Amino acid sequence: MKPTSVALALATLVSLNTSEAVAQDAETAAELKAVMQQLQQLQQRVIELEQKLAEQSDSAATTTTTATTNATANQQVEQVAARRQAKSSALAARVERLEEDVQAAQNDPIRIGGAVRMQYKWEDYNDPLKDRGGDFEFDLVRIDYSGEIGDVVLSAQYRWFQYMDTVQHAWVGYNFSEQWQGQLGVTKVPFGITPYNSNSYFFSSNFYVGLEDDHDLGAKLLYRSSDWDFDVAFFKGDEMGGVNGLSPSKADRYAYDALGVRLAGEGLYDDPTALVAESNSVALRAARKYDLAADKSVEIGASWQFGDMNNGTDNIGERQAWAVHGVYNINRWTLMGQVTQYDYDMELAEQGIVVGAYAYYDTIPSKATLYSANLAYSLPVQWGPVTDLTFYNDFSLMTNKRFYTEDTVMNVLGVAVSAGGLYTYFDLVTARNQPFVGGSMSGDSKQTNTRFNVNIGYYF
């Protein structure tokens, strides 16, 4: 016997796709599930009544009494079906409203994410910390905003540490086409290997001289195709407003920037007395990409930047930097290499450039050359929540330092573990004259220090 229109209607309602609702909103999914369970119960009840009616109809030819009973049962079934139809219509309307709510949530133009991170550290150059077996401490909380309305794009990130809070980036953009995009605000300076010239939590030594993952205030135009990347940018100043910025501490920032001139007689970590800041800078980056095979690719590029150094009143120097860089991918292996040189040409007699980030000041040579070489291997796994292990070794060397003789060297041997929203770095760092590993970029130490670091982050 074919099912009645009531059963068909109920079956259609039961088959409504709720997967997107479940994925987007747990509360809506629970309500929708309850509705669907009611619909399934109603469908089953109608099927039972139809089966009973069929059984009664089959015996209708034997006796008049049976026929009368069947007529009565048929009338009851029709009444029940009518009631079920009315109720299912109301339920269907409710389901439709729930789906509309879920769809509206999915189309929300602004998405909010972020991260919570903590870390364990052990340092062989810090005797009290070493004696107590290291420290486990809070790292940061961050909030990310991103979205797109039409061709207008938004991206922003703010970070809270134990000792400071700061903007990481904040820009609005416009997609002129599938290949061209403009950005305005605190946006990333296009320089070197992107997005990072490193695999580890500690970046490369380029980061500590302001030449990796740096963000400044200005405008940028990007071109992306399967073969080429082009970036051209103009930055009015750094992300904190330069010398005349209103931040209570110039060192409270995410990425390193030049903040002063290190004068004779000052310590490497002293607050600057002769303030300067980047001003009216231009940055260019180009990279050629080659797909050699399905699992093999090469990127070769060059970067250059130039700008003034301003003391809040006058330009008292210039700076420039260039880099050549390449990335080679084959199967699960990635090899990165970069050569960088920068030079600050200041009118003042100087012993280096004061830089600042993470609430403290450091000194870098006013001219130096940096080399970096990184090798990584990504291994997919199925270990409970763990889905990927990335093994890496990142090496950095800073040499030819103006006024300083000892090189900066850093080697990071580590593995990054991906498990759902958790991303954890296990890093063994061996370094000399390297910030966060017992040294300064302008240090003249011959001692090598070791730090073991575990950074655990939940990203959402």
Side-chain angles (χ1 to χ4, degrees), residues 343-394:
D343 185 6
Y344 289 83
D345 183 12
M346 307 300 298
E347 296 177 2
L348 298 178
E350 44 88 6
Q351 295 296 312
I353 302 299
V354 181
V355 295
Y358 300 97
Y360 88 100
Y361 295 100
D362 193 12
T363 303
I364 66 172
S366 55
K367 182 178 181 180
T369 303
L370 298 99
Y371 302 89
S372 62
N374 313 316
L375 181 65
Y377 179 80
S378 179
L379 177 64
V381 297
Q382 293 293 333
W383 298 347
V386 179
T387 57
D388 186 81
L389 303 174
T390 300
F391 301 91
Y392 51 81
N393 192 90
D394 293 351

Side-chain angles (χ1 to χ4, degrees), residues 203-222:
F203 297 95
S204 72
S205 292
N206 293 270
F207 178 77
Y208 303 89
V209 297
L211 295 175
E212 180 181 355
D213 201 31
D214 185 28
H215 297 75
D216 288 330
L217 184 59
K220 181 169 64 175
L221 185 64
L222 304 84

Side-chain angles (χ1 to χ4, degrees), residues 208-252:
Y208 303 89
V209 297
L211 295 175
E212 180 181 355
D213 201 31
D214 185 28
H215 297 75
D216 288 330
L217 184 59
K220 181 169 64 175
L221 185 64
L222 304 84
Y223 173 85
R224 297 290 183 268
S225 72
S226 59
D227 298 326
W228 285 97
D229 288 353
F230 291 111
D231 298 82
V232 56
F234 173 79
F235 297 99
K236 187 59 184 173
D238 64 40
E239 69 271 29
M240 306 302 288
V243 172
N244 297 318
L246 300 179
S247 174
S249 173
K250 302 299 183 185
D252 288 358

